């Protein structure tokens, strides 16, 4: 019976392409992403259950939308029948499909893991009121949430929500859709004002502002890095970098090491901070002896593709 179930499950995973995706990720990389997802889940659940919920402060993005859904269901039904942990899954479920079809399968797997882990921690960590001051709840909740999101993005994972739609639209149109997050967050803080009083709209706005500032301090998705790689394996590294990131790579032949006087090749390309962790993994995997120099905050003129898978 168990063997039959395993065969059916394996066939299902293979049919939707998940088996090949998991195989391509590898156990070590999956473990790293899972660890990053757990760290994000801890911070997000602490922010939500220790500060946002007790202070009636709303978060930004999918977490805030989940708070709205839960509160509206409770007000309409008269009972707390839909926990925020379940609302978070419901809000993200259609976006998982969008990400799978339009952004990238590996990206979707990481996002699902992150959202599920966050929901689990939110569900099992009890709501605890540490202070009755709503401003303190907003500031500390926003700071903790921003720290969690920033670290998640540094690790190459996404917390879902508007992030998925923004990445999808930018990949399809090449244009930034930052106004989407602004509109979603506007609806969230307006709902906070309607449900709890207009002063709570201000508190939620403070939380969202602090969240974004802390997140930007830790990680800036659009920050571009110029990397110069001194390597003896230029063909292999060029192939791996171009296939993965779709950025151009400039090859400088006949470079000479000043100490060893051996022939080297220099590769030069530009990546985003979001791609840095995976870039580092590629270098360590295919040429651990390469010398890499990185310059931050470079400006680029011309077409610069951003790949999120």
């Amino acid at each position: 019976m168990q063997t039959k179930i395993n065969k059916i499950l394996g066939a299902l995973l293979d049919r939707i392409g998940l088996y090949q995706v998991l195989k391509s990720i590898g156990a070590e990389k999956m473990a790293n992403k899972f660890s990053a997802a757990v760290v994000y889940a801890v911070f997000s659940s602490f922010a939500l259950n220790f500060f946002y919920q007790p202070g009636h402060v709303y978060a930004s993005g999918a977490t805030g939308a989940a708070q709205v859904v839960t509160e509206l269901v409770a007000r309409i039904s008269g009972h707390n029948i839909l926990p925020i942990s379940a609302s978070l899954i419901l809000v993200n479920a259609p976006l998982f499909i969008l990400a799978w079809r339009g952004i990238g399968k590996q990206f979707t797997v990481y996002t699902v893991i992150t959202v599920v882990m966050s929901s689990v921690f939110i569900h099992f960590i009890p709501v605890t009121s540490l202070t009755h001051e709503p401003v303190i709840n907003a500031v500390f909740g926003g700071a903790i949430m921003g720290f969690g999101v920033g670290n998640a993005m540094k690790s190459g994972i996404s917390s879902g929500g508007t992030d998925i739609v923004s990445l999808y639209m930018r990949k399809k149109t090449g244009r930034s859709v930052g106004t989407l997050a602004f509109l979603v967050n506007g609806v969230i803080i307006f709902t906070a004002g309607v449900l709890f009083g207009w002063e709570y709209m201000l508190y939620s706005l403070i939380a969202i502002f602090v969240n974004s500032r802390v997140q930007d301090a830790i990680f800036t998705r659009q920050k571009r890095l110029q990397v110069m790689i001194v390597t003896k394996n230029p063909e292999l590294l060029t192939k791996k970098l171009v296939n993965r990131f779709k950025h151009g790579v400039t090859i400088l032949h006949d470079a000479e090491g000043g100490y060893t006087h051996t022939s080297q090749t220099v590769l030069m390309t530009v990546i985003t901070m979001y791609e840095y962790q995976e870039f580092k993994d590629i270098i360590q995997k295919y040429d651990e002896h390469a010398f890499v120099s990185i310059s931050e905050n470079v400006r680029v003129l011309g077409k610069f593709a951003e790949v999120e898978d």
Side-chain angles (χ1 to χ4, degrees), residues 182-194:
F182 177 80
L183 291 174
V184 171
N185 292 335
V187 172
I188 290 171
I189 62 175
F190 179 79
T191 304
V194 172

Side-chain angles (χ1 to χ4, degrees), residues 7-176:
K7 288 183 178 180
I8 295 175
L9 181 60
L12 179 61
L13 294 177
D14 188 59
R15 183 173 182 179
I16 63 177
L18 185 57
Y19 176 76
Q20 291 298 325
V21 174
L22 295 176
K23 186 177 179 181
S24 66
I25 294 174
E28 182 179 355
K29 188 174 180 180
M30 179 61 75
N32 291 335
K33 299 295 185 181
F34 183 81
S35 299
V38 171
V39 172
Y40 166 76
V42 171
F43 278 99
S44 65
S45 59
F46 277 14
L48 188 66
N49 290 350
F50 288 1
F51 296 101
Y52 284 158
Q53 290 199 74
H56 300 302
V57 177
Y58 277 29
S60 60
T63 304
Q67 289 178 270
V68 169
V69 171
T70 294
E71 185 64 28
L72 290 177
V73 170
R75 299 241 175 162
I76 294 172
S77 65
H79 301 283
N80 294 321
I81 58 176
L82 184 64
I84 293 179
S85 56
S87 295
L88 189 60
I89 297 293
L90 292 176
V91 167
N92 280 284
L95 300 178
F96 292 155
I97 300 175
L98 180 67
W100 182 267
R101 294 179 176 178
I103 299 179
K105 294 178 173 56
Q106 288 190 17
F107 172 86
T108 307
V109 171
Y110 303 149
T111 305
V112 170
I113 293 173
T114 305
V115 172
V116 170
M117 291 306 302
S118 181
S119 298
V120 169
F121 276 80
I122 289 171
H123 185 77
F124 287 104
I125 291 179
V127 176
T128 304
S129 179
L130 300 181
T131 176
H132 297 292
E133 290 292 334
V135 174
I136 295 178
N137 282 315
V139 172
F140 276 85
I144 294 172
M145 182 68 79
F147 186 83
V149 173
N151 274 285
M153 296 178 74
K154 281 182 69 175
S155 301
I157 61 176
S158 168
S159 57
T162 54
D163 224 13
I164 294 176
V165 181
S166 296
L167 293 176
Y168 177 83
M169 293 299 295
R170 190 163 71 242
K171 186 172 182 179
K172 294 299 181 182
T173 67
R175 298 180 179 179
S176 175

Side-chain angles (χ1 to χ4, degrees), residues 227-230 279 283 290-294:
V227 295
M228 296 186 68
I229 311 160
V230 181
F279 166 80
I283 297 298
F291 177 82
V292 181
S293 173
I294 300 175

Side-chain angles (χ1 to χ4, degrees), residues 19 89 200 216 236 241 259:
Y19 176 76
I89 297 293
Y200 288 97
D216 286 345
L236 177 61
L241 293 174
Y259 181 75

